[in-house]
Amino acid sequence: MKRPTIIDIARQVGVSKAAVSYALNGRAGVSAATRERILDVAAQLGWDAAGPARTPAADRTGTIGLVLARPPQHIRAEPSVVHWMAGLEAALAEYGLSLHLALPPDEEAELGTYRAWAAERRVDGVIVTDLRAEDPRVPLLRELKLPAVVIGEHERVANVAVLRFAAADEVRAVVAHLAELGHRRIGHVQGGVDLEHTARRSGLLRAEVRERLGTDLVKVEADATEDGGVRATARLLAADPPPTAIVYDDDVMAVAAVARAAELDVRVPTDLAVLSWQDSMLCRVVTPPVTALSRDVEDDAAAAVHLLLELIETGAADDLDVPPRVLLPRASTAGGA
């Protein structure tokens, strides 16, 4: 008898695959009643979390791969990366599996890592982050026949499943929040300009600002560091007229703008509203605290693990859409413009 999958459970309960993943993993993201229904149906279908994934087949390694081709200073500076890896480790540990991490210095070495892992059968599958435009990794993984879960927006290809985020919903929430506070001139500091998700977010943000506010988004690009965020903020504030609110792609740049507001000769939020696309402890402890889009990164990591294990076990898995981040208004956007 075919082992039931997350898809089977989701169809019978009438919920998303993400909800099933969260419920089976014992994480937040679903109500108590929904969790109970999912677990009941899973039991009826014979779902066994300690099944094949916990006891790998003879030709499996029991290891999942993650390659992060980022400068070390960026990894150290981004709390979300640490939470992401912790979430992967925790989810894999539930199945008795381990994480194999590689930090290559460039794209050539990154692609070489995948080739070596496939040739030497080092990993059973990989999770791919930081998707780039025309990313060479996806066709390579397809060629290598290495099961992969891609985080971002990508078309379906053989042995690859996609974990997608609701970027359009998040953009609407951000622009609505700033519009309700009276802001009409919006700036955007885009980090990781070669990344698919930041480029897509920037395009959606520009379109939403035009549609809702009738104005043009003012955008600058920056490396996702403290100094990069401050330099980008200074460039935006030099515009004529300057924006009254700035949206930052990550928490490090947003917090740096708030912490060094005096250096920039602005008061937050009196002169400038600050909003971060990522939430972290940094956003909560700086003064004033930074309004941010929040999500449980560890839950997302667990969902990626479940999706990859399904792909490895069955040879196919539907793409997974995760819920949008939740906007948490804080003092950095209080008042109007």
Side-chain angles (χ1 to χ4, degrees):
M1 180 178 176
K2 177 179 174 289
R3 182 173 182 261
T5 67
I6 287 177
I7 300 171
D8 299 325
I9 300 169
R11 285 172 178 164
Q12 184 152 332
V13 180
V15 296
S16 69
K17 297 183 292 297
V20 174
S21 177
Y22 294 157
L24 294 176
N25 202 45
R27 295 181 179 271
V30 293
S31 68
T34 300
R35 185 186 307 278
E36 185 175 352
R37 287 192 357 254
I38 290 171
L39 295 178
D40 285 346
V41 169
Q44 292 168 16
L45 293 177
W47 170 269
D48 179 12
R54 185 178 294 279
T55 308
D59 61 344
R60 293 184 188 165
T61 67
T63 302
I64 298 304
L66 175 67
V67 182
L68 292 178
R70 297 189 188 187
Q73 64 270 25
H74 287 189
I75 295 175
R76 289 194 298 268
E78 294 185 36
S80 61
V81 176
V82 177
H83 289 295
W84 174 256
M85 289 192 290
L88 293 177
E89 288 275 17
L92 289 168
E94 293 182 7
Y95 295 96
L97 306 177
S98 60
L99 180 68
H100 190 13
L101 175 66
L103 302 173
D106 52 41
E107 183 179 284
E108 182 178 355
E110 182 181 18
L111 298 177
T113 298
Y114 289 120
R115 292 189 183 96
W117 283 357
E120 298 166 10
R121 303 186 68 80
R122 292 278 193 90
V123 298
D124 297 321
V126 296
I127 294 175
V128 180
T129 64
D130 299 336
L131 192 63
R132 303 184 285 271
E134 299 182 3
D135 199 308
R137 293 173 296 176
V138 178
L140 174 63
L141 292 169
R142 181 177 55 186
E143 175 189 331
L144 296 173
K145 298 182 180 179
L146 189 60
V149 166
V150 171
I151 313 300
E153 194 70 31
H154 200 281
E155 71 275 9
R156 284 192 66 84
V157 296
N159 69 274
V160 173
V162 180
L163 189 74
R164 291 191 178 89
F165 294 97
D169 292 340
E170 295 168 357
V171 165
R172 284 190 289 268
V174 165
V175 176
H177 174 69
L178 296 176
E180 288 167 4
L181 294 172
H183 294 283
R184 293 294 179 271
R185 298 182 300 283
I186 310 297
H188 177 212
V189 176
Q190 181 184 348
V193 296
D194 60 332
L195 300 179
E196 176 274 333
H197 71 273
T198 62
R200 178 163 47 94
R201 176 188 302 158
S202 183
L204 290 168
L205 190 58
R206 182 179 298 278
E208 184 69 13
V209 166
R210 283 178 177 170
E211 180 177 343
R212 178 155 187 149
L213 305 180
T215 58
D216 285 325
L217 182 74
V218 185
K219 186 190 81 170
V220 297
E221 300 171 352
D223 61 339
T225 62
E226 175 187 348
D227 288 339
V230 172
R231 288 192 296 269
T233 304
R235 288 169 56 196
L236 284 175
L237 293 175
D240 185 20
T244 61
I246 299 178
V247 178
Y248 296 80
D249 270 357
D250 74 15
D251 52 333
V252 173
M253 295 191 294
V255 168
V258 171
R260 295 167 63 177
E263 176 184 329
L264 294 163
D265 196 27
V266 293
R267 297 165 297 168
V268 177
T270 305
D271 305 320
L272 178 70
V274 169
L275 189 149
S276 170
W277 220 278
Q278 293 180 344
D279 192 22
S280 72
M281 181 185 69
L282 296 176
C283 293
R284 299 190 291 274
V285 301
V286 73
T287 302
V290 175
T291 295
L293 285 161
S294 179
R295 70 177 313 110
D296 193 322
V297 176
E298 294 183 19
D299 279 355
D300 295 338
V305 167
H306 282 297
L307 188 59
L308 181 56
L309 295 183
E310 183 177 343
L311 183 62
I312 292 169
E313 291 176 31
T314 67
D318 286 347
D319 296 345
L320 184 63
D321 296 310
V322 298
R325 294 173 174 87
V326 176
L327 182 67
L328 299 179
R330 298 190 180 111
S332 70
T333 57

